């Protein structure tokens, strides 16, 4: 509580301490950043998003199925039965959304992240 203790030098605050005042708002931004850091949140201003390992694995697997499906389609003559099989493999993990549904899903996700970290 930095507003209740006056006159302490800045070096009196330990390395793991923050000066915070609920009255003036001083240090609240630093406190918020520190709490997010401790929770494992890392901001990437360059636009890079951190995905969980299972998401990365699912994306890799999806890419493999799509590559194989394209290979089946590019063969002469196209192996449509094997192409269909590759696309069926994506079925359980693939949800097809219309553009408005995708927009709404993205907006909902962004709102959840903003609320979780407000």
């Amino acid at each position: 509580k930095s507003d209740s203790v006056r006159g302490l030098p800045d070096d009196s605050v330990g390395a793991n301490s923050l000066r915070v005042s609920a009255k003036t708002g001083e240090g609240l931004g630093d406190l918020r950043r520190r709490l997010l850091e401790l929770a494992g949140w890392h901001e990437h201003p360059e636009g890079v998003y951190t995905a969980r390992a299972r998401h990365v694995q699912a994306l890799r697997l999806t890419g493999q199925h799509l590559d194989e499906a394209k290979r089946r389609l590019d063969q002469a003559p196209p192996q449509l039965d094997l192409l269909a099989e590759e696309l069926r493999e994506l079925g359980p993990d693939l949800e097809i959304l219309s553009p408005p549904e995708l927009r709404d899903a993205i907006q909902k996700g962004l709102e959840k992240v903003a609320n979780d970290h407000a």
Side-chain angles (χ1 to χ4, degrees), residues 54-91:
R54 63 186 171 92
H55 294 142
V56 172
Q57 182 180 8
L59 288 170
R60 284 189 183 131
L61 183 59
T62 299
Q64 290 170 357
H65 284 296
L66 290 173
D67 288 343
E68 185 62 23
K70 183 176 180 337
R71 191 175 74 75
R72 300 294 184 181
L73 187 61
D74 290 343
Q75 290 180 343
Q79 296 178 331
L80 298 179
D81 56 334
L82 296 175
L83 167 68
E85 184 61 34
E86 286 300 325
L87 295 177
R88 270 194 292 277
E89 288 292 323
L90 294 172

